[in-house]
Amino acid sequence: MVSERSELEKGGEEEEVEETSVEKAFEGKVVPRWEKQITLRAMVVSLVLAVLFTFIVMKLNLTTGIIPSLNISAGLLGFFFVKIWTSLLTKMGMLVQPFTRQENTVIQTCVVASSGIAFSGGFGSYIFAMSSEIANQSPEANGPLDIKNPTLGWMIAFVSVVSFLGLFSVVPLRKIMIVDFKLIYPSGTATAHLINSFHTTEGAKLAKKQVSVLGKFFSFSFLWGFFQWFYTASDDCGFNSFPTFGLEAYRNKFFFDFSTTYVGVGMICPYIINISLLVGGILSWGIMWPIINARKGDWYSADLKSSSLHGLQGYKVFIAIAMILGDGLYNFVKVLGRTLIGLYNEFFKKKTEASSNDPDSSSSDSYDDRCRTDMFLRDQIPAWFAITGYVVIAIISIIVVPIIFHQLKWYYIVVIYVIAPVLAFCNAYGCGLTDWSLASTYGKLAIFTIGTWAGASHGGVIAGLAACGVMMNIVSTASDLMQDFKTGYMTMASPRSMFVSQVFGTIMGCIISPCVFWLFYKAFGNLGVAGSPYPAPYALVYRNMAILGVDGLSALPQYCLIFCYVFFGVAIVINLIRDLVGKKWARFIPVPMAMAVPFYIGSYFAIDMCVGSLILFIWRKLDKVGADTFGSAVASGLICGDGIWTLPSSFLALAGVKPPICMKFLSRAENTKVDGYLES
């Protein structure tokens, strides 16, 4: 959420069936050695795209926390940039090495690994939750022990020592996951299909058309963002405050804010996610909050500030937390159960095969599988290297992290690192079965367990949030790495080149992501404030989870706990119904995690995303082939253009350059008063 990216954007995809052999189409093409797959041009292109995608992810993190999968965009743009590079060198007679699908895979892996740090690094969740900006919105636990304001130095140091452990934790299991168990990893498989298609003759022609479409919508989105900037001289100004459905609806967060980013995100996200967001917004801002607000002075004091958690804000935050925890608990149990059942079945199958006289099961593998397995097993990563790397980095982390967060004692981290490989394996295995990474769920478990262990008097809030970061980085990186191993397996990329590109991407992300967040933090003074352009909703949610872990339920206003119990149960029941009715009917039942997001920040972004869904729906009705072919390119262009506009707008804000115009909307009565005041 992904910052619940994984829970919202993953799942439901199925592996495409290859009716014809892919590898026969590449017969005669030599697969370069793993060192040749990692080229200078690949690293340069990866760096450029990593900066672009980090801005996109960071903006999404700090607005709604919903982050779509950007793997396909990374693969497409990587193909485009290197093709331009190689075309120029070919014309100059200087081309040394042709562009291969293995190099394309390395670029995609590096970019996703780098921009993924913007999510797992917690800049929109647990790290920002430590700041005084978020602490001031909670009346409890805002003493010196429970606050740590962001600085560039400690953020880079922290993500650098916790982001690499996940890479080493599951490397020894790559053969078991990919070759023996043949786990699907739908996102990795889909990305591999795309990259393979790019490097065929017809696929390359289509890719050029897709990139052309992406470029057009990128330019439109960037220029639209630039145009909108001129009308935002103050708060509640501009197109992003347009009262599309009237002023009363606007006050209840129902309006279309003309964000090309979220229109594009809506085109990528499944329809049910966008509808779930809208349902959650209608339920909360359309029904529940007006009813609870009418109880002001009865259920809670009428003199409280709007940001007080003892008032309406408390219902918004804690009911959302209850739904998130209910959904997370259900899916944790479900995925863990499927993981254990899957492991048992695999073990039983192997045992049966070993005791039978049947020929080796590999003989039934397809031609593609035999070719890919041979390449995948050729360049081994020694187990001793992975184990040594894990131990060395863990020791460094155990020393460094308590220096950064003195509330998080070294023995807390030792306990996390002892159990983390098991959880990383479970997350990677479950992701292979379902495409769901439960990294944020494991992070929330760390918040409650370590926070409670530390206690309120010893900075349990910061200890819990920091422990969340340690745990979340390990399990998130582990599942991402295994997804990329699947992509590499299907594109004949060497495991060594995949691992090295992950390391390069992680190194870049540990520097780029903190710097991009720091730019946002310094450029926008109201970062994290409800109603601002960047409210960072999950920062307040994560902080209040930590407060609940150490202080209990004392902060809840009247009847709020009852609501929390109800919505916690509702989230579990809805998920259970979704699983029982099957895929045919589950696509009509809302997703609780998505429903919870607008409870705190409103429905405006959900309306944008539903507009994106509507555009894609109509497009598919009119031209299904065109929509399926170019839909992702259009969405990526809309997201990337608006996302990269954030960079110049940040520099303008830092330089003190303010927009010249405020476009604001008033009711007729208010306008009459303003006119009378100006004429007097």
Side-chain angles (χ1 to χ4, degrees):
M1 158 148 13
V2 274
S3 304
E4 305 299 309
R5 173 183 64 177
S6 302
E7 283 86 344
L8 292 183
E9 304 306 329
K10 306 283 187 181
E13 298 179 12
E14 296 183 1
E15 182 179 16
E16 297 177 22
V17 178
E18 297 181 64
E19 296 180 356
T20 59
S21 172
V22 172
E23 297 309 325
K24 285 185 178 179
F26 291 96
E27 272 187 324
K29 293 186 179 181
V30 178
V31 177
R33 288 177 52 83
W34 74 269
E35 303 97 325
K36 297 290 185 181
Q37 295 174 20
I38 305 170
T39 62
L40 175 62
R41 68 191 178 199
M43 293 301 100
V44 172
V45 169
S46 296
L47 177 61
V48 173
L49 291 179
V51 174
L52 167 63
F53 280 54
T54 299
F55 268 96
I56 294 169
V57 174
M58 195 66 69
K59 179 176 180 179
L60 298 174
N61 255 338
L62 297 172
T63 48
T64 64
I66 297 177
I67 305 166
S69 175
L70 298 173
N71 298 49
I72 290 178
S73 299
L76 182 61
L77 287 172
F79 176 85
F80 170 66
F81 281 120
V82 178
K83 270 298 183 181
I84 291 177
W85 188 316
T86 55
S87 297
L88 291 175
L89 291 180
T90 301
K91 291 179 181 179
M92 297 167 63
M94 298 172 61
L95 182 64
V96 177
Q97 180 178 343
F99 182 40
T100 63
R101 55 183 173 145
Q102 290 80 26
E103 188 179 354
N104 203 159
T105 304
V106 164
I107 294 171
Q108 181 268 333
T109 299
C110 195
V111 172
V112 172
S114 180
S115 59
I117 301 294
F119 161 67
S120 61
F123 301 100
S125 55
Y126 60 84
I127 279 186
F128 194 32
M130 303 176 186
S131 68
S132 57
E133 287 84 357
I134 302 301
N136 290 336
Q137 299 179 45
S138 301
E140 289 79 19
N142 53 8
L145 265 180
D146 300 310
I147 293 175
K148 188 171 182 65
N149 284 312
T151 63
L152 197 55
W154 76 253
M155 287 191 297
I156 292 177
F158 176 69
V159 295
S160 296
V161 296
V162 300
S163 296
F164 291 92
L165 277 163
L167 299 180
F168 293 93
S169 62
V170 293
V171 163
L173 302 172
R174 67 195 181 283
K175 177 181 178 294
I176 295 173
M177 300 281 212
I178 305 298
V179 178
D180 296 340
F181 291 174
K182 300 185 186 300
L183 296 179
I184 297 172
Y185 289 102
S187 291
T189 298
T191 305
H193 283 312
L194 184 77
I195 291 175
N196 282 333
S197 71
F198 284 166
H199 292 268
T200 62
T201 304
E202 290 300 318
K205 293 178 182 178
L206 180 60
K208 289 180 181 179
K209 294 179 182 178
Q210 289 174 323
V211 168
S212 175
V213 170
L214 188 151
K216 291 176 183 177
F217 281 89
F218 176 94
S219 302
F220 164 76
S221 181
F222 182 87
L223 293 173
W224 175 243
F226 177 51
F227 173 74
Q228 288 189 89
W229 175 81
F230 283 95
Y231 300 92
T232 55
S234 183
D235 293 338
D236 298 324
C237 292
F239 287 90
N240 57 356
S241 298
F242 197 100
T244 322
F245 309 111
L247 289 169
E248 186 62 31
Y250 172 77
R251 281 188 282 270
N252 284 285
K253 307 293 185 179
F254 288 96
F255 59 95
F256 177 64
D257 74 345
F258 295 90
S259 169
T260 53
T261 293
Y262 280 102
V263 172
V265 169
M267 295 180 69
I268 292 177
C269 287
Y271 293 139
I272 190 58
I273 294 296
N274 301 331
I275 296 300
S276 299
L277 291 166
L278 188 59
V279 169
I282 293 172
L283 176 63
S284 55
W285 289 86
I287 300 174
M288 290 178 60
W289 304 160
I291 292 174
I292 294 175
N293 191 51
R295 303 296 188 274
K296 184 189 298 183
D298 181 12
W299 288 10
Y300 57 92
S301 173
D303 300 326
L304 294 172
K305 294 181 179 179
S306 60
S307 61
S308 173
L309 290 178
H310 289 292
L312 181 59
Q313 186 80 339
Y315 296 94
K316 296 177 183 178
V317 172
F318 289 110
I319 293 175
I321 289 174
M323 290 195 72
I324 290 169
L325 292 178
D327 186 276
L329 176 63
Y330 179 87
N331 285 297
F332 171 73
V333 173
K334 183 180 80 171
V335 173
L336 180 62
R338 291 188 62 175
T339 298
L340 295 175
I341 293 170
L343 286 173
Y344 173 79
N345 290 337
E346 289 293 338
F347 175 77
F348 182 77
K349 182 176 71 175
K350 295 295 179 186
K351 189 175 180 180
T352 303
E353 289 175 355
S355 62
S356 68
N357 295 321
D358 293 338
D360 184 14
S361 61
S362 63
S363 61
S364 63
D365 289 345
S366 67
Y367 173 80
D368 285 359
D369 284 336
R370 293 196 298 272
C371 292
R372 291 164 177 172
T373 300
D374 179 66
M375 176 58 65
F376 192 72
L377 300 180
R378 190 176 301 172
D379 292 325
Q380 293 292 323
I381 302 171
W384 66 263
F385 174 78
I387 295 171
T388 303
Y390 187 89
V391 172
V392 170
I393 296 175
I395 292 172
I396 295 172
S397 180
I398 290 167
I399 296 171
V400 173
V401 172
I403 296 174
I404 300 172
F405 305 104
H406 62 87
Q407 299 93 334
L408 188 64
K409 305 302 181 184
W410 64 270
Y411 44 87
Y412 300 158
I413 306 173
V414 170
V415 172
I416 292 174
Y417 286 164
V418 168
I419 64 173
V422 176
L423 299 180
F425 168 77
C426 291
N427 194 46
Y429 189 92
C431 190
L433 291 174
T434 65
D435 215 29
W436 282 43
S437 171
L438 298 177
S440 60
T441 300
Y442 289 109
K444 291 161 194 164
L445 290 175
I447 289 178
F448 288 112
T449 54
I450 301 299
T452 303
W453 187 3
S457 60
H458 295 89
V461 171
I462 295 296
L465 292 170
C468 172
V470 175
M471 179 66 77
M472 199 166 149
N473 274 279
I474 295 173
V475 296
S476 176
T477 307
S479 63
D480 289 347
L481 176 63
M482 208 55 70
Q483 285 271 18
D484 289 328
F485 272 142
K486 181 68 174 184
T487 303
Y489 171 80
M490 296 188 66
T491 58
M492 303 278 279
S494 166
R496 289 188 183 180
S497 67
M498 299 299 295
F499 182 79
V500 172
S501 64
Q502 276 275 352
V503 171
F504 281 160
T506 304
I507 291 172
M508 289 192 294
C510 289
I511 298 171
I512 295 170
S513 291
C515 290
V516 171
F517 173 75
W518 189 246
L519 181 61
F520 275 87
Y521 187 66
K522 289 296 183 183
F524 304 103
N526 55 358
L527 196 71
V529 177
S532 69
Y534 299 102
Y538 276 95
L540 185 61
V541 167
Y542 272 64
R543 184 171 186 86
N544 280 287
M545 286 183 188
I547 293 173
L548 283 177
V550 298
D551 286 345
L553 305 172
S554 59
L556 301 182
Q558 190 175 8
Y559 301 120
C560 185
L561 183 59
I562 296 174
F563 280 111
C564 290
Y565 286 147
V566 169
F567 279 89
F568 181 89
V570 165
I572 293 175
V573 170
I574 291 176
N575 274 307
L576 183 61
I577 293 172
R578 282 176 55 84
D579 286 337
L580 291 176
V581 299
K583 292 182 178 180
K584 179 180 178 182
W585 298 107
R587 58 197 179 102
F588 299 109
I589 301 174
V591 178
M593 182 71 74
M595 290 175 62
V597 178
F599 272 53
Y600 172 56
I601 55 176
S603 302
Y604 58 93
F605 72 96
I607 293 172
D608 294 352
M609 292 173 67
C610 285
V611 168
S613 281
L614 181 62
I615 291 171
L616 187 63
F617 179 80
I618 295 173
W619 190 1
R620 279 178 171 163
K621 288 294 183 183
L622 298 176
D623 181 12
K624 189 177 188 306
V625 174
D628 291 342
T629 303
F630 297 106
S632 294
V634 171
S636 299
L638 293 173
I639 295 168
C640 292
D642 195 37
I644 203 62
W645 162 248
T646 307
L647 179 60
S649 68
S650 301
F651 286 133
L652 289 171
L654 286 172
V657 179
K658 294 185 177 180
I661 304 170
C662 173
M663 183 174 73
K664 187 169 276 190
F665 299 88
L666 304 172
S667 67
R668 183 165 52 201
E670 290 171 332
N671 185 64
T672 301
K673 292 179 181 178
V674 171
D675 286 344
Y677 175 78
L678 293 175
E679 291 172 1
S680 61

